[in-house]
Structure formats: C-alpha cells, structure tokens
Amino acid sequence: MMAVKGMTIHQAAVRPAPLVDPFGRAITYLRVSATDRCDFRCVYCMAENMAFLPKQDLLTLEELDRVCSAFVTRGVRKLRITGGEPLVRRGIMGLFESLGRHLRAGMLDELTLTTNGSQLAKYAASLKACGVERVNVSLDTLDPDKFRAVTRWGDLGKVMAGIDAAQAAGLKVKINTVALRDVNEDELPHLVAWAHGRAMDITLIEVMPLGDIGDARLDQYLPLSLVRARLGERFTLEDIDYRTGGPARYVRVQETGGRLGFITPLTHNFCESCNRVRLTCTGTLYMCLGQEDAADLRTPLRMSESNGLLDAAIESAIARKPKGHDFVIDRRHRRPSLSRHMSVTGG
Ligand code: SAM
C-alpha cells in the first residue's frame, strides 16, 4: 500500500473517535496561545506595564507541536494559533510548518491563526506555503491616531501592509473588531463597508470582562444589540445560516453583499454548540473561556516521552468541560469576572 508521510492510505483515511464531553459535544477545535507576549497593548486587553511569563515556563515549540498533535490524533480537526501575538514568538513558522503535516495527511481540516497583522507582511507567503488558507486580523479602527490610542504601540500602516500581503499571498482575511463605546462606535458602518469592499468578512465582538487592565471595562462596553440596531438603520441586514462552528452569528449586508458577524458573549449564550478548548503557552488547558477550571498538560507531557499520560490528562480534562460560562461585567465591584487576560487564554 502507498505511504503518505509515514502512514498508509488506509490509516490516513481513518478518523479517530472524537473527544466527547459530558454534554455530548465533540471537541474538534483547539485554540493555542503560542505566547502571552504581544507587540501591542490594546487598552481593553492589557495593562501597559504587563508582566509576562518567564520564558522557561513556556512550552517549547516542539512541545506545542506534541500537544497539538495529540489532540489531532483524538479527533481535533481545526487548530487556531493565537496569543498574545503569535507571530512575535521566535521560530513560530517552524510550528506552522510542522503542523502542516496533519493537513497533508488529511487529519486536520484547518490550520489558522488570529493576529494583529503587524508581522503579516513578513510571514503571509510562508503561512500560505504551510497550508494556512485563512487568517483573522484584529482591527478596531481605520484612523491612524485612534489606532495608536487603542493599541498604545501599534502602527496602522504596518497592519494595512500586512493585510495587503495576506491577500496577495492568496490568504482569505477576516477582520475582527471589538466594539468600543465612544471609541469606534461611530466608525463601525465605515469599517463594515471597507472590509466588504476588500472582499473580507468582518465580525464585531463585545468587550469581555477578562483580566485586570487597570481601569474599568464598563466604560468600554457597548452592547452589540445596540450596534446591530444602528447598523440596521444604515444597511439592510439579512439573517443567514452561515456558521463557522464558532460563536459568531452572521448577517448578509444587502448593500455590500458581504458577511457581517456578531459575537455577543454578554448578551447571548453561545455555549450549547461549543466544540472548542484552549491551550495556553504554558500547557494549561482551559475547557471554557469563561470559567477558571483548567488542566495542567505540561506535567504529563514532560513526565514521559510517550503520550499515554498526556492522552489520559486530555481525556480527564474533557470529562470536566462545563456546560457554559457566566460572564458578567460586575457593575457593583467594577472588577473583571475572570482575572486572566485574553492574551493568556488566547482570543
Ligand atoms: N494578537 C492577536 C490579535 O490581535 O488578534 C491574537 C490575540 S488577541 C487576544 C485576540 C482577539 O481578542 C483580538 O481580536 C482582541 O481584540 C480580542 N480581545 C482581547 N481582549 C478582549 C476583551 N477583553 N474582550 C473582547 N475581545 C478581546
């Protein structure tokens, strides 16, 4: 029989039984924070003087590959590399290159990333060569001064060059925009028209109460129900069935023909169809973005060169996946409902 990367065709075609949680949800999607570091300091995400993890606490790229591959062996079909900013981790393209083997073997449907775009001009062509087809680029404003104010350290020109390079390399780009009261709320119709004019979907995200950022997120919170109503005055929004397996709900904007998504963790619950878990760069597995319970995968990973202990730890973690989260923006205490930052768990 012919071999495909060390496997027979017969073996390559066999789909392993997926990991299934106590609520019958198959876990087919792993998000991996490759680093907690970032070259931006978005005001709703990080404090300016963030303390980052010591480098020795991080999984090496080889260890990240090993954990990802263990999940792929157990039926995960989609990997998203995120952060922090994944493209600032030294050697990160080596991880994409090595994970690309699972695409070629038919074990993985998608390898993708979420990025702030600052390094995309450098890496877009290599990402495409590794088998990446789509990237999510986070972008909250098209105004260079506002962009600098929101990201504290970012340069809009570099992100635009990154988006250009990604499209030129043949990557499909989706824009993610956090809706921020008094910051970009007036600009959202323009952002939608701009994204659709460049053949990019755009998803709007509500601010989530994750991580202490030094000032109250209540001031930034803008309910998407309101945003949607306002966009509805400007555009004709048509509900569509399109799903990416994620929490976004989509509409078609009739005037542009483009797709617009809404992620509303605070005003709607999207847990019943949750198919994902999240791995931090230190090897901690969070079974829910909005709950504290987590499993340490680094210890079993490092205790043995074979994957028996790791597999057992993954199984017992999935058996504890909670039914859902209960984020609240705590109006009384003005505190985040979870102390860890999005940059730790991976956005
Ligand atoms: N650096 C990459 C990027 O910029 O996309 C990946 C990590 S970033 C944490 C992922 C996404 O999370 C970004 O779209 C960011 O805007 C979003 N994000 C960060 N903190 C958030 C919060 N508290 N509420 C909602 N979205 C948040």
Side-chain angles (χ1 to χ4, degrees):
M1 197 175 284
M2 242 173 73
V4 181
K5 285 271 324 159
M7 255 188 259
T8 63
I9 297 261
H10 174 68
Q11 283 168 326
V14 171
R15 290 196 173 195
L19 292 157
V20 177
D21 79 1
F23 303 95
R25 297 169 298 191
I27 306 308
T28 54
Y29 183 7
L30 176 68
R31 297 169 75 105
V32 180
S33 177
T35 172
D36 62 328
R37 286 162 201 258
C38 188
D39 52 345
F40 290 3
R41 290 289 179 280
C42 296
V43 290
Y44 52 81
C45 185
M46 290 188 185
E48 188 156 22
N49 56 347
M50 283 285 286
F52 291 110
L53 294 162
K55 286 223 170 89
Q56 66 271 21
D57 286 1
L58 264 55
L59 296 190
T60 64
L61 293 169
E62 291 72 22
E63 287 172 329
L64 281 173
D65 180 274
R66 225 180 112 197
V67 181
C68 290
S69 301
F71 273 97
V72 169
T73 306
R74 293 303 314 272
V76 158
R77 304 291 306 176
K78 176 170 173 178
L79 287 175
R80 178 176 297 279
I81 311 299
T82 174
E85 173 48 41
L87 297 182
V88 302
R89 176 142 186 195
R90 190 172 307 156
I92 190 70
M93 291 315 296
L95 181 63
F96 281 100
E97 273 162 30
S98 95
L99 291 174
R101 73 188 185 281
H102 298 306
L103 292 168
R104 293 189 298 276
M107 298 285 285
L108 195 61
D109 296 328
E110 184 165 34
L111 173 61
T112 185
L113 73 154
T114 301
T115 173
N116 64 25
S118 69
Q119 314 293 314
L120 259 186
K122 192 156 119 201
Y123 291 126
S126 314
L127 286 167
K128 176 77 180 167
C130 295
V132 173
E133 297 290 342
R134 304 190 301 161
V135 293
N136 286 359
V137 178
S138 303
L139 179 63
D140 300 331
T141 174
L142 293 171
D143 175 318
D145 295 330
K146 240 185 229 182
F147 187 82
R148 170 69 68 169
V150 170
T151 62
R152 292 199 184 99
W153 298 358
D155 174 351
L156 181 63
K158 277 196 186 157
V159 175
M160 289 301 171
I163 292 172
D164 290 344
Q167 290 193 314
L171 294 170
K172 214 163 163 22
V173 178
K174 180 167 82 81
I175 302 295
N176 282 339
T177 301
V178 178
L180 298 163
R181 183 141 67 111
D182 294 334
V183 178
N184 62 2
E185 60 177 299
D186 293 339
E187 202 191 333
L188 296 175
H190 176 53
L191 265 161
V192 170
W194 168 80
H196 290 173
R198 294 195 53 159
M200 303 183 289
D201 289 349
I202 177 168
T203 295
L204 305 179
I205 306 169
E206 250 169 21
V207 172
M208 292 180 244
L210 292 176
D212 213 330
I213 50 166
D215 46 38
R217 218 173 244 115
L218 254 186
D219 301 336
Q220 303 163 349
Y221 177 59
L222 176 63
L224 286 192
S225 48
L226 186 65
V227 172
R228 186 181 163 143
R230 283 197 203 138
L231 284 169
E233 291 165 11
R234 167 84 182 270
F235 298 116
T236 317
L237 308 179
E238 189 192 323
D239 281 315
I240 51 174
D241 262 348
Y242 178 74
R243 291 282 149 87
T244 57
R249 295 295 170 258
Y250 284 88
V251 296
R252 167 100 40 214
V253 178
Q254 239 176 46
E255 288 78 0
T256 62
R259 265 192 305 246
L260 165 63
F262 297 92
I263 299 185
T264 55
L266 297 178
T267 51
H268 289 283
N269 220 317
F270 52 67
C271 304
E272 62 286 347
S273 60
C274 183
N275 61 354
R276 63 195 58 195
V277 289
R278 295 173 152 88
L279 182 75
T280 73
C281 53
T282 57
T284 301
L285 187 74
Y286 283 95
M287 286 72 84
C288 172
L289 179 63
Q291 301 274 4
E292 295 284 10
D293 187 28
D296 168 29
L297 299 186
R298 188 176 57 185
T299 304
L301 178 77
R302 289 185 175 169
M303 270 169 71
S304 158
E305 276 179 19
S306 70
N307 279 357
L309 293 173
L310 177 63
D311 282 340
I314 291 173
E315 278 206 15
S316 92
I318 300 303
R320 301 205 308 269
K321 185 169 163 66
K323 192 166 183 198
H325 63 62
D326 41 22
F327 285 128
V328 275
I329 289 219
D330 187 331
R331 287 171 196 281
R332 225 156 18 102
H333 303 100
R334 297 176 74 89
R335 306 286 305 159
S337 65
L338 282 179
S339 59
R340 66 179 193 272
H341 292 82
M342 188 76 125
S343 52
V344 171
T345 333

